[in-house]
Amino acid sequence: MAALSGVRWLTRALVAAPKPGAWRGLCTSAVAHSVSRNQAEDMRVEGAFPVTMVPGDGVGPELMHAVKEVFKAGCVPVEFQEHYLSEVQNMASEEKLDQVLSSMKENKVALIGKIHTPMEYKGELASYDMRLRRKLDLFANVVHVKSLPGYKTRHNNLDLVIIREQTEGEYSSLEHESARGVIECLKIVTRTKSQRIAKFAFDYATKKGRDKVTAVHKANIMKLGDGLFLQCCEEVAELYPKIKFETMIIDNCCMQLVQNPYQFDVLVMPNLYGNIIDNLAAGLVGGAGVVPGESYSAEYAVFEMGARHPFAQAVGRNIANPTAMLLSASNMLRHLNLEYHSNMIADAVKKVIKVGKVRTRDMGGYSTTTDFIKSVIGHLHPYGGSNS
């Protein structure tokens, strides 16, 4: 249990943010700098919080545009430093990766889109997205799956949290051909990282006032690998007697989520299972377009969509749903201790959805991305926003 003492900062990682500097007024002047496509496009705002922005692939740039428009209308004191990293648009290189890492390490906070990973093998097993997360040690991915008032789905009033370890497991990029036609893909499970993610989950449950943590596994088949993960969760659970602890096999968990998702509160699981469950659970409340996500290390916080999809088929059609990205941006502002602006944006998004007049196609409507952005901006007014 010695490894547990090394993660005292976990609770701080959930809520800690850079100390708010003295920014002048709710609406400071912004100066846009036009630079080449290969450089970052920075919005310089005096006294604002610097945040790294990586638009990613697919509709990522369109969603980031939505965030910037809403932030501008709401006079949010954030300075975005844009960096483009894409394997499918030939905008990925060691130099660009280093630039993104340097920006993230300096700013500590980032808002990113989906960096799509091609299936073709080109000599490198680890994608740029995976390498980025490993180099920053973004071990904890948190996806809050919550029903949106006014938008009916098969299951309503859902409120559960999925916590995924995302630096090892099946995504270790350790594959090789041991003999012709025989591929070995290694799954890595370590005690240190299993204990770390388990403690993160219980700290999260304690901090957020939640009652139960469910460890999801496949220890009946992978007796050593998932067995170690399960053992670590059980050991950590003993340190939190006020939090109820349960275990569930991954296949049963998928069925239970569809049949009766209300039984779950906080779920913690290894990498691949978390990826699958994130997407399954997102579908319960409306899809990838409405669920925000975030990833944490000891020092850094990255905000993104909960279910990572590039939506390449929607590129340039002005139909992407910006809800998830705007809610992620709102969570980012809360992390920066900008509670006023965080609540302003989250409330505006939820009001638009609750009223129901402006909905994108994935939510059964016919509105464009632009329509949604304008409607959100219109609902910022009670908080002092503007039509500009």
Side-chain angles (χ1 to χ4, degrees), residues 310-354:
F311 297 113
Q313 69 275 15
V315 173
R317 298 173 60 192
N318 199 24
I319 61 174
N321 187 348
T323 298
M325 193 60 77
L326 287 172
L327 292 177
S328 294
S330 169
N331 291 339
M332 179 192 74
L333 295 178
R334 183 170 292 108
H335 178 80
L336 292 171
N337 291 329
L338 295 172
E339 290 284 344
Y340 170 86
H341 296 88
S342 173
N343 293 333
M344 173 181 66
I345 291 174
D347 289 350
V349 172
K350 292 173 183 178
K351 285 178 182 176
V352 171
I353 294 174
K354 187 173 184 178

Side-chain angles (χ1 to χ4, degrees), residues 92-301:
S93 65
E94 292 300 322
E95 181 181 1
K96 289 185 179 295
L97 180 61
D98 289 341
Q99 289 174 356
V100 174
L101 287 169
S102 177
S103 178
M104 286 187 174
K105 288 179 179 179
E106 180 179 355
N107 297 333
K108 308 296 184 184
V109 179
L111 184 69
I112 70 173
K114 167 62 177 175
I115 303 173
H116 185 59
T117 303
M119 285 187 285
E120 298 82 7
Y121 173 58
K122 298 180 180 180
E124 177 62 57
L125 291 171
S127 68
Y128 278 85
D129 182 48
M130 291 168 59
R131 290 164 66 187
L132 185 68
R133 296 175 190 278
R134 286 181 192 165
K135 287 180 180 292
L136 295 175
D137 195 28
L138 295 169
F139 70 92
N141 177 240
V142 181
V143 176
H144 188 182
V145 179
K146 189 173 183 178
S147 298
L148 293 169
Y151 181 57
K152 293 185 178 181
T153 56
R154 183 180 297 275
H155 299 287
N156 297 298
N157 301 316
L158 281 182
D159 185 359
L160 57 94
V161 177
I162 300 161
I163 296 178
R164 162 191 176 191
E165 205 295 324
Q166 60 177 4
T167 59
E168 59 176 12
E170 296 84 356
Y171 290 25
S172 300
S173 302
L174 297 174
E175 298 180 81
H176 64 275
E177 187 173 21
S178 57
R180 181 179 291 275
V182 180
I183 301 295
E184 292 182 335
C185 179
L186 303 182
K187 171 177 177 175
I188 305 299
V189 181
T190 63
R191 173 173 293 277
T192 298
K193 292 188 176 182
S194 295
Q195 287 182 333
R196 181 172 68 169
I197 195 65
K199 190 173 191 306
F200 183 97
F202 278 92
D203 282 345
Y204 184 97
T206 302
K207 174 68 179 177
K208 302 296 183 179
R210 291 182 172 267
D211 301 321
K212 182 172 70 172
V213 172
T214 302
V216 181
H217 64 93
K218 191 65 177 174
N220 59 321
I221 301 299
M222 287 171 274
K223 301 182 186 299
L224 297 182
D226 280 24
L228 176 60
F229 174 82
L230 183 58
Q231 179 186 349
C232 290
C233 289
E234 292 171 343
E235 291 172 355
V236 172
E238 294 178 359
L239 305 177
Y240 297 82
K242 295 183 179 180
I243 303 294
K244 185 178 180 181
F245 176 65
E246 293 181 350
T247 67
M248 188 172 291
I249 296 174
I250 177 62
D251 36 338
N252 183 36
C253 180
C254 291
M255 180 179 68
Q256 294 296 329
L257 274 168
V258 174
Q259 289 186 327
N260 179 26
Y262 302 100
Q263 65 185 286
F264 297 107
D265 194 354
V266 174
L267 299 93
V268 61
M269 60 200 73
N271 209 335
L272 177 61
Y273 309 156
N275 194 358
I276 295 170
I277 295 298
D278 283 346
N279 285 267
L280 189 158
L284 298 177
V285 296
V290 301
V291 179
E294 52 216 59
S295 295
Y296 294 100
S297 73
E299 299 181 69
Y300 313 112

